[in-house]
Amino acid sequence: EVEMAQVVGLAVQPPSGSAMLLRTSSRVARRSVSSISEGRLARRTLPNNLGHLYLASAAPLSASMPGNGGLRLWHYENDHKAQREAVGLGLGMALKHSTYNTGFAGAKLICAAASPPHTWGEDDKKELLREVAAMLTTLDGKMYTGCDMNTTTEDMDYLSELCLSHGGRDYVLAAIGNKACCPNTATAYGVFGAVEATLGGSVAGKRLLVHGCGGVGSVVARLLVEHGAAHIATLDTLPERADLAGCANVSHEPEWWAAGYDAIVPCSASGLFTEERVLRAGAVVGATNLPFSSRAAQDVAEASLTFVPEGVSSAGAVIVDSVEHYSRKQFAEAPPEMLYEFTRETVRAKTLELLDAARRAGVAPSAVVADIAEPRDTDPIGRRFEAWAKYKQDEEQARTMAAAAAEARASIIGRYAAKAMDIHANALSNLVLQGGGARVAGARAYSSGAPRCAPAGRRTMSSSAAGVARWRSTQSFASSAVSEHSADAVIVGAGIMGLNIAYQLRRRDPNAKIVVLEQAPVLGFGSSGYSTGFQRAYYSFDETMRFALDGMAAYKNWKDYLQDPAAEAKFTETGALWMLGYDGRTNEAMVKRLAKFNVHADSLDADGLREMFGGLISSEPLPKYNAEGDEVEQNLGPFSAVYEHGCGHLDSSTCLSDILRACQRDGIDVRFKQKVGGIELADCGERVAGVRMEDGRVLSSPVVINASGPWFNKLNATAGVDLSTTALPTRIQVGHKWIPEEFCKLPFVADGWGPSGIYFMPRAANNQLVFGSVDHRFESEIVDPDVYNTSLDPDVKQDYLNCLFHRLPTLPREGEIVGFSSMYTVNQDDVHPMIGETRVGGLWACNGFSGHGFKLAPAVGSLVAQQITQVKTDRWETDVPQDFMGPYRQPLNLKVKTHFAQ
Ligand SMILES: Cc1cc2nc3c(=O)[nH]c(=O)nc-3n(C[C@H](O)[C@H](O)[C@H](O)COP(=O)(O)OP(=O)(O)OC[C@H]3O[C@@H](n4cnc5c(N)ncnc54)[C@H](O)[C@@H]3O)c2cc1C
């Protein structure tokens, strides 16, 4: 009878959020759609006319992807209703499991009792559990279950014993391996995390209604009290259950839904919110399955409030199940409070992701549940618990660093270390304080169980405090290591920015533990590897001119900067010709401005150009044509240009290898094939706590620098960071062409004379001319850095060549043109970088360098290192004000909309 039958024609109300799952075409969703639409139902008739046992699953069950869902005992009006509920709940479980990648498939066991459960005797229950054990044993690891309505942890203990005696294996997941852990409390902590995320990070000062004060609702209410909610109303069908300390019992209030709350937290029966009950609340977020009586009721509510579907908010128990199943040993040893906290943080982060995705898409959160499902190919959430717990221990260790920090403050290096330690300590104490009055700190932090779950003899923080003491006696903070799971500063991205920041930080703090994480197996995967490496001082702001010169000073003295006589990159001087369409007066003014910065430059007219370059470069503007193909008058005035001396280029790949070597020599830990999946937050999202790798491992750090180039926004999104200006990955195309010797002496040329918009530059060493764009028309294709066309488009190539052959009339036409495309990160608001600490304390932004970041990188490294440490050395520094390019500045006024000459 456990043979699964495909469900046909069963009208099921889909779980909140799954309608979109069926419609959307996203990759993750498509996977889930197939499983959802293949709902299955098995039936077993119970002896003694007790009723029927249903097993509903959203997909075929297997030992590698077993089903998981609680055992519900309920009396239904008829069989059809029972089946309907079984399948609906199975689908709901599927949504939870896929949202968090618990490693389980969605399923549910329903006992459709012939008579109401309160009429059942003890023997009836035992009979049912024997039947369930037989079914589970037959399924042989394809299905796991736990408590649900009218089944208790004692029932599960009994079921577990039966399974073990039947087949020698246990198919019950109800925290059997850790008796102090209560699944209901885990669910409550998850719900609480979701509420925190929905209310902007904290419940302090908020008004909430908790509907239903059973095992979940009562714990949620307690957490709300502990975390400073201003007003907590509670309600239950058994009114005395809603008499909770610090809460106002509104069980007798007839229109409880209309009292006006920041959030209503349903922890009771399905179908609570009908179309008639017009909710006056900012949000609905809770534990109840299917809290709305119909899709229409949900639509009405979602028009005026934020609804977080229960597939996201009510997943605490399945998260703990996943830990129990996939990390058995860690589960058995963990203090329950640690498991609850894990649940709370996991659900909070997921809820933030959901709300962010909804905000970006401009739709209700229930419409994007499918989009935030964890990929199946990552570790199940339960396997990630161990790394998380380790990270928490590190954090506990960090809390003890404050004293050591005071000693370290005396030295330059120490100030940085002390700041890092303070941040570490601060993050930790906040975390502990958030745990509430009962969990003040230290030894008691993880030993006090929730009221409904008696604490058992298990590891407490006092044992880890002993570890801290040991650690402190053997290490000083400045001796760099907390552990391989933590660092003083983590830099995401080993592009030219990330490596320069690491190098510059290290210059002022030789003992700090600096880790650079790079997703690619080798250097040069992002923009830096494709850079032309050209360097110039011609900028329209004094600050950016200064900044560029500070960067160039390092490149021009590369061996000295890196303190490496074997550094190989060499600066090749070419000079630069700026023919950007400005008149003689403007160009004269630029020559004077450059002179102020000791950069020699000349203003050239057409004769001067001919004299200087022997007629190779034409002074004729590129002709302009109208839509009919007729040439039109441009009235550009006489030709004028600026020739800047002293600029030139370096090979970007060689620079990257050189600086990597210097970093590694100095003890910076540069790790390749390490993709950061997200930013880890502490202090309700106010402060960075480290980074989470794609595989779930966590690297804790009080300072994280996002130098991930075109991936910048993807990473920021994981921390909910928005800046005042927006940089987007922009596709940029470059061509190469063979040139004869006489063209190798050309300068770098930026050509904006007429409707051109290209640059070109010789690479004399291999007789190549590199050409690309200085005009917006070539630079407007925003791309996903993980999926874009990396070749040179034929029409762009032709456009480039038209401009090129016009400017260089004698350039031979023959020879192959090769090209590629890569990415700039272009600040859409003002074409300037954003460099500085974000609103998430300790998280630095470093992005938006368009087509000229390479030259700036040593100066960027100096700026970021100064911002973090407030230390300035006597060499290789920039004097640009620290907030000039701050991430929350007003857009800097833009003179010309080009990504090149700013
Ligand atoms: C074709 C082209 C020509 C250019 N020409 C010039 C020029 O002549 N002069 C000039 O000054 N500038 C030039 N630039 C611009 C310059 O190259 C860039 O401004 C600069 O390289 C940006 O460096 P970055 O370190 O910020 O980014 P990137 O070099 O893109 O580095 C970011 C790194 O982060 C890694 N990463 C991303 N996400 C993650 C993650 N989640 N986990 C781990 N690692 C991650 C990426 O793999 C990448 O290696 C040019 C750029 C291009 C594309």
Side-chain angles (χ1 to χ4, degrees):
E1 268 196 272
V2 292
E3 199 49 42
M4 299 276 179
Q6 194 103 9
V7 179
V8 185
L10 205 61
V12 175
Q13 185 188 340
S16 324
S18 67
M20 188 63 189
L21 200 66
L22 291 163
R23 276 203 306 276
T24 180
S25 61
S26 88
R27 192 166 51 85
V28 179
R30 273 202 304 276
R31 260 201 318 264
S32 309
V33 166
S34 60
S35 48
I36 290 268
S37 56
E38 285 167 23
R40 283 159 157 76
L41 194 66
R43 186 165 96 153
R44 192 178 176 98
T45 306
L46 298 173
N48 307 335
N49 289 329
L50 284 175
H52 288 113
L53 177 63
Y54 288 103
L55 166 57
S57 78
L61 304 179
S62 66
S64 57
M65 183 58 78
N68 176 10
L71 168 63
R72 177 172 292 192
L73 169 59
W74 201 251
H75 174 62
Y76 296 89
E77 245 172 73
N78 55 43
D79 231 26
H80 184 74
K81 287 211 166 146
Q83 292 177 6
R84 216 178 103 125
E85 175 144 310
V87 173
L89 291 171
L91 297 184
M93 291 305 294
L95 201 61
K96 283 184 197 176
H97 288 304
S98 68
T99 299
Y100 290 92
N101 187 23
T102 58
F104 292 111
K108 199 82 186 174
L109 277 170
I110 293 278
C111 172
S115 57
H118 68 263
T119 64
W120 278 41
E122 209 175 298
D123 288 346
D124 296 334
K125 193 68 143 332
K126 287 199 167 148
E127 191 66 58
L128 165 66
L129 295 171
R130 275 195 291 278
E131 291 296 317
V132 174
M135 186 189 236
L136 295 176
T137 306
T138 315
L139 284 170
D140 193 19
K142 295 193 184 99
M143 175 69 198
Y144 289 79
T145 194
C147 308
D148 199 275
M149 283 155 80
N150 294 315
T151 53
T152 63
T153 44
E154 288 73 37
D155 294 334
M156 290 305 123
D157 285 345
Y158 182 62
L159 181 62
S160 164
E161 277 168 29
L162 288 172
C163 289
L164 289 168
S165 64
H166 268 254
R169 284 183 62 192
D170 193 0
Y171 306 114
V172 180
L173 291 171
I176 306 270
N178 186 336
K179 288 275 189 302
C181 175
C182 168
N184 280 340
T185 307
T187 300
Y189 271 72
V191 169
F192 182 68
V195 174
E196 284 180 299
T198 311
L199 297 183
S202 166
V203 300
K206 306 287 186 196
R207 288 172 54 82
L208 298 105
L209 167 70
V210 180
H211 192 287
C213 299
V216 176
S218 61
V219 178
V220 174
R222 170 175 66 80
L223 289 169
L224 291 172
V225 173
E226 289 174 1
H227 288 76
H231 175 75
I232 305 142
T234 43
L235 186 156
D236 201 288
T237 45
L238 297 174
E240 63 278 12
R241 284 215 299 197
D243 285 332
L244 298 172
C247 304
N249 188 341
V250 296
S251 302
H252 300 292
E253 207 60 57
E255 297 217 337
W256 49 264
W257 55 86
Y261 295 103
D262 291 304
I264 297 180
V265 188
C267 299
S268 50
S270 304
L272 193 61
F273 306 124
T274 58
E275 269 180 272
E276 293 70 42
R277 292 179 172 174
V278 180
L279 302 177
R280 277 195 58 226
V284 167
V285 45
T288 301
N289 286 320
L290 302 173
F292 292 96
S293 60
S294 64
R295 179 71 222 185
Q298 183 180 327
D299 288 344
V300 169
E302 284 190 302
S304 66
L305 55 72
T306 302
F307 167 52
V308 176
E310 66 276 15
V312 176
S313 56
S314 180
V318 296
I319 291 169
V320 166
D321 282 353
S322 182
V323 180
E324 184 174 9
H325 188 67
Y326 288 102
S327 298
R328 276 191 180 268
K329 182 169 172 292
Q330 289 74 19
F331 177 77
E333 289 173 359
E337 202 68 12
M338 199 93 173
L339 292 160
Y340 302 152
E341 206 54 55
F342 178 63
T343 304
R344 171 184 167 193
E345 282 191 19
T346 304
V347 177
R348 185 170 55 200
K350 196 43 110 182
T351 309
L352 281 174
E353 196 184 336
L354 175 81
L355 298 176
D356 189 53
R359 189 177 49 75
R360 280 169 195 280
V363 296
S366 63
V368 288
V369 174
D371 295 339
I372 57 148
E374 289 285 304
R376 279 274 161 87
D377 46 12
T378 55
D379 258 350
I381 185 75
R383 280 215 186 101
R384 296 184 226 158
F385 172 71
E386 187 181 6
W388 178 89
K390 174 80 183 65
Y391 155 70
K392 287 288 151 189
Q393 276 185 329
D394 286 347
E395 217 171 20
E396 177 67 12
Q397 290 176 339
R399 203 166 69 87
T400 65
M401 288 170 190
E407 285 168 34
R409 257 177 248 280
S411 69
I412 288 179
I413 297 157
R415 277 208 296 279
Y416 168 58
K419 184 177 174 197
M421 276 187 279
D422 281 347
I423 294 168
H424 255 310
N426 197 10
L428 182 74
S429 61
N430 275 321
L431 187 94
V432 173
L433 284 175
Q434 282 164 32
R439 295 175 290 133
V440 276
R444 277 191 293 147
Y446 293 119
S447 61
S448 65
R452 293 167 61 83
C453 302
R458 59 193 64 257
R459 186 162 59 93
T460 67
M461 285 317 283
S462 49
S463 65
S464 104
V468 172
R470 260 199 320 280
W471 176 84
R472 285 189 66 197
S473 67
T474 54
Q475 310 212 23
S476 78
F477 180 82
S479 76
S480 87
V482 176
S483 78
E484 64 168 307
H485 301 296
S486 64
D488 300 326
V490 166
I491 297 162
V492 185
I496 197 68
M497 298 302 162
L499 292 173
N500 269 286
I501 293 166
Y503 182 68
Q504 286 278 19
L505 268 177
R506 187 66 171 189
R507 286 184 63 238
R508 48 214 89 197
D509 190 351
N511 292 316
K513 182 174 179 188
I514 299 165
V515 177
V516 182
L517 300 169
E518 169 56 48
Q519 63 182 354
V522 287
L523 288 172
F525 186 68
S527 305
S528 305
Y530 297 88
S531 180
T532 310
F534 180 67
Q535 328 238 319
R536 43 89 188 211
Y538 186 112
Y539 276 90
S540 48
F541 285 107
D542 281 0
E543 288 84 352
T544 43
M545 198 177 265
R546 175 78 271 151
F547 205 40
L549 285 165
D550 291 335
M552 285 167 70
Y555 284 113
K556 285 186 169 179
N557 301 281
W558 191 234
K559 290 184 184 350
D560 197 7
Y561 171 62
L562 295 182
Q563 303 202 337
D564 179 6
E568 287 178 27
K570 270 210 266 326
F571 184 85
T572 304
E573 189 168 329
T574 59
L577 182 67
W578 302 101
M579 35 196 299
L580 299 172
Y582 299 134
D583 60 22
R585 257 187 47 213
T586 312
N587 283 337
E588 284 294 347
M590 179 52 100
V591 168
K592 285 203 182 100
R593 275 195 59 230
L594 285 164
K596 268 200 331 200
F597 289 89
N598 297 324
V599 177
H600 178 43
D602 301 306
S603 164
L604 297 182
D605 60 12
D607 289 341
L609 184 77
R610 202 169 316 108
E611 210 172 293
M612 202 159 182
F613 302 109
L616 282 182
I617 303 176
S618 162
S619 61
E620 287 300 313
L622 187 76
K624 188 174 179 180
Y625 298 95
N626 64 18
E628 283 73 46
D630 301 323
E631 187 170 348
V632 292
E633 192 77 29
Q634 297 192 69
N635 298 321
L636 294 173
F639 173 86
S640 176
V642 171
Y643 182 80
E644 178 186 341
H645 296 262
C647 41
H649 61 88
L650 289 94
D651 180 67
S652 56
S653 303
T654 315
C655 287
L656 285 171
S657 324
D658 284 343
I659 192 164
L660 172 67
R661 229 180 15 257
C663 285
Q664 290 173 331
R665 173 201 65 205
D666 292 351
I668 294 164
D669 186 358
V670 186
R671 303 179 190 171
F672 289 91
K673 290 205 254 182
Q674 296 292 317
K675 180 159 184 171
V676 174
I679 305 291
E680 283 289 293
L681 301 174
D683 204 2
C684 289
E686 303 253 305
R687 172 157 292 289
V688 80
V691 292
R692 180 177 291 277
M693 309 308 298
E694 240 196 347
D695 61 9
R697 281 173 301 128
V698 169
L699 181 60
S700 95
S701 177
V703 173
V704 173
I705 298 136
N706 182 353
S708 63
W711 290 264
F712 178 73
N713 293 327
K714 288 197 179 197
L715 199 57
N716 277 348
T718 67
V721 167
D722 266 334
L723 310 179
S724 59
T725 57
T726 308
L728 296 175
T730 307
R731 184 162 168 248
I732 185 77
Q733 308 191 40
V734 174
H736 285 229
K737 185 194 179 314
W738 176 85
I739 44 169
E741 215 55 47
E742 67 267 30
F743 287 88
C744 289
K745 298 193 182 63
L746 284 175
F748 172 96
V749 177
D751 181 1
W753 186 226
S756 179
I758 61 162
Y759 74 83
F760 51 88
M761 182 189 87
R763 279 195 196 281
N766 50 2
N767 286 72
Q768 289 286 311
L769 193 72
V770 183
F771 47 94
S773 128
V774 292
D775 189 85
H776 187 62
R777 80 173 185 279
F778 296 115
E779 302 173 1
S780 51
E781 187 184 343
I782 308 301
V783 292
D784 176 344
D786 290 312
V787 198
Y788 72 97
N789 178 355
T790 55
S791 49
L792 173 60
D793 295 345
D795 57 334
V796 170
K797 175 166 128 182
Q798 197 49 57
D799 202 343
Y800 280 173
L801 290 177
N802 291 347
C803 302
L804 188 64
F805 288 129
H806 170 84
R807 191 58 58 215
L808 301 175
T810 58
L811 182 70
R813 301 314 200 241
E814 71 269 19
E816 202 192 346
I817 313 286
V818 287
F820 61 85
S821 95
S822 178
M823 291 164 290
Y824 289 167
T825 53
V826 180
N827 188 329
Q828 306 295 304
D829 300 289
D830 68 1
V831 203
H832 286 277
M834 49 273 258
I835 305 169
E837 191 173 17
T838 67
R839 294 214 168 103
V840 173
L843 176 62
W844 255 260
C846 179
N847 196 247
F849 296 99
S850 298
H852 37 89
F854 205 87
K855 80 178 72 57
L856 304 177
V860 171
S862 156
L863 184 65
V864 174
Q866 287 178 42
Q867 289 171 342
I868 293 174
T869 64
Q870 296 305 320
V871 171
K872 203 161 171 181
T873 65
D874 55 359
R875 294 195 75 189
W876 314 121
E877 299 286 14
T878 184
D879 292 329
V880 167
Q882 289 189 16
D883 57 356
F884 183 70
M885 286 163 276
Y888 298 103
R889 61 181 157 72
Q890 289 297 308
L892 298 171
N893 242 344
L894 182 67
K895 288 194 177 162
V896 186
K897 176 94 175 151
T898 146
H899 306 152
F900 198 81
Q902 25 166 304

